[in-house]
Amino acid sequence: KQQQQQEAANINKSLLALNNVVTCLAEPTAAGKKKKKPPYRDSVLTQLLQANLGGNSKTVLLATVSPAGGSHSVTLSTLKFAGAAAKLRMRPVVNEGVKDGVIRQLRAVVDAQQ
């Protein structure tokens, strides 16, 4: 039982760190102010998700909630987190080297001639 409590505490710590990162990434910056650096190093979970949260990728987040009255506080915090995550705007760009660009252009020329 003590091991389960320790695991639950570690999971909650990681989820709190994830919430902090998402909140930091989602908050708008005022004119002339520097954006705060997200605290990715606070947990292993946020370190693993760093490329997905603030990087060059498309990311989907699924928030599940319960209609049960006993889980009202958990549902509310989940919805707040999902709202902050919905404010994130990713702008993924295809990583392409010089050779890849030339090959893509040549293939386009060949396809256009066919």
Side-chain angles (χ1 to χ4, degrees), residues 51 54-58 91-102 104:
N56 188 20
S57 65
K58 292 183 180 183
R91 292 173 193 86
V93 179
V94 175
N95 294 331
E96 185 175 76
V98 176
K99 290 180 183 179
D100 297 328
V102 171
R104 184 181 45 79

Side-chain angles (χ1 to χ4, degrees), residues 27-67:
E27 70 184 23
T29 54
K33 281 186 121 180
K34 275 186 136 181
K35 192 163 179 95
K36 287 193 302 185
K37 187 170 179 170
Y40 291 116
R41 291 186 175 187
D42 287 356
S43 100
V44 175
L45 177 65
T46 54
Q47 288 176 1
L48 290 172
L49 294 176
Q50 181 175 358
N52 298 80
L53 293 172
N56 188 20
S57 65
K58 292 183 180 183
T59 303
V60 175
L61 181 112
L62 178 67
T64 58
V65 296
S66 172

